[in-house]
């Protein structure tokens, strides 16, 4: 699992732009109104930066393997077929004790028979500041040994309704001894 843990990392956030609007009404009528008013809404560009902490052992595990292939004597570099579910902290700085911006909740699967690569599917759930309560949905391929891994922002909720963009992951730290990885994320999104 050290290999899988190499994957994750991340986060401090620097938010740019976007006037704060708290308490977005989420009832169906309000959502309809929001859509009907879209033509008057201006597109915004928001940049986020944060560190993502994947912890697979110790007292504060946030990422657990929930499945693996019956034949796990993998000769490929990745433990092909392994699946983790995680609820990882997103923090401003690389230290887990730095300010928490939210949680990255989702799963990753070792989905490559070749060079190590994961399928990532996760929601970034923000719990601070102007994006408190909003989410971004991310799906992508994460070839964990590459310097930059580009994943897609495929949508969002709250302040991030109809979001689209790119999330770029970099490994900040990978410690196989403690099954801990810290990933640095830069996310650029267009939304309304
Ligand atoms: C429609 O959008 C404009 C521009 O974003 C905003 O000022 C206005 O309050 C919105 N109206 C409604 C009913 O949401
Ligand atoms: C686990 O989390 C608790 C509470 O945040 C903290 O006091 C403790 O030091 C952490 N343990 C480890 C091994 O990180
Ligand atoms: C496990 O992999 C090794 C190396 O490829 C191979 O020699 C061995 O036969 C495999 N064992 C099983 C049970 O598949
Ligand atoms: C396969 O998985 C089982 C159960 O998780 C584990 O006990 C065993 O050591 C694994 N075998 C190999 C070759 O990785
Ligand atoms: C993380 O922060 C804590 C206290 O804020 C400090 O004791 C610790 O040394 C820091 N760890 C690293 C790796 O900087
Ligand atoms: C975030 O929103 C929740 C739910 O509305 C609220 O309870 C919490 O106090 C807010 N946190 C911050 C830091 O604004």
């Amino acid at each position: 699992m050290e290999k899988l843990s190499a994957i994750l990392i991340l986060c401090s956030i620097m938010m740019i732009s976007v006037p704060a609007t708290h308490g977005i009404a989420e009832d169906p009528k309000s959502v309809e109104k929001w859509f009907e008013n879209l033509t008057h809404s201006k597109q915004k560009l928001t940049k986020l930066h944060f560190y993502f902490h994947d912890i697979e052992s110790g007292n504060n595990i946030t990422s657990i393997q929930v499945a693996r292939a019956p034949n796990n004597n993998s000769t490929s570099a990745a433990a092909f077929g392994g699946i983790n579910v995680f609820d990882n902290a997103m923090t401003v700085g690389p230290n887990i004790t730095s300010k928490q911006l939210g949680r990255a909740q989702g799963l990753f699967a070792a989905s490559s028979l070749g060079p190590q690569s994961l399928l990532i599917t996760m929601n970034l759930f923000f719990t601070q500041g102007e994006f408190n309560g909003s989410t971004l949905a991310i799906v992508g391929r994460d070839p964990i040994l590459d310097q930059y891994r580009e994943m897609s922002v495929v949508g969002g909720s709250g302040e991030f309704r109809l979001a689209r963009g790119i999330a770029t992951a970099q490994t900040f730290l990978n410690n196989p001894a403690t099954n801990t990885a810290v990933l640095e994320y830069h996310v650029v999104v267009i939304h309304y």
Side-chain angles (χ1 to χ4, degrees), residues 9-145:
I9 292 180
L10 131 58
C11 319
S12 79
I13 288 190
M14 254 150 48
M15 290 147 178
I16 299 189
S17 89
V18 186
T21 332
H22 290 281
I24 294 177
E26 293 186 317
D27 62 282
K29 267 270 169 290
S30 299
V31 173
E32 262 181 49
K33 279 218 177 90
W34 185 86
F35 271 90
E36 285 158 10
N37 195 31
L38 252 191
T39 47
H40 305 295
S41 303
K42 266 186 69 181
Q43 200 167 268
K44 295 166 193 160
L45 182 69
T46 294
K47 300 176 188 178
L48 307 169
H49 175 246
F50 56 94
Y51 293 84
F52 162 109
H53 302 265
D54 189 67
I55 303 169
E56 299 185 17
S57 64
N59 292 331
N60 296 322
I61 290 173
T62 62
S63 177
I64 57 171
Q65 186 171 70
V66 295
R68 71 192 301 167
N71 173 11
N72 55 358
N73 183 19
S74 176
T75 52
S76 72
F80 183 68
I83 298 176
N84 269 52
V85 172
F86 58 85
D87 180 352
N88 288 343
M90 301 191 286
T91 59
V92 170
N95 193 326
I96 185 81
T97 62
S98 75
K99 183 177 173 159
Q100 185 169 298
L101 298 166
R103 310 293 300 189
Q105 300 172 332
L107 55 85
F108 63 80
S111 56
S112 171
L113 285 167
Q116 279 193 61
S117 178
L118 304 176
L119 162 69
I120 305 279
T121 168
M122 65 180 173
N123 294 308
L124 304 184
F125 173 51
F126 296 95
T127 55
Q128 289 293 322
E130 61 192 313
F131 302 119
N132 186 15
S134 298
T135 66
L136 283 174
I138 293 185
V139 176
R141 178 172 185 272
D142 182 358
I144 59 177
L145 300 178

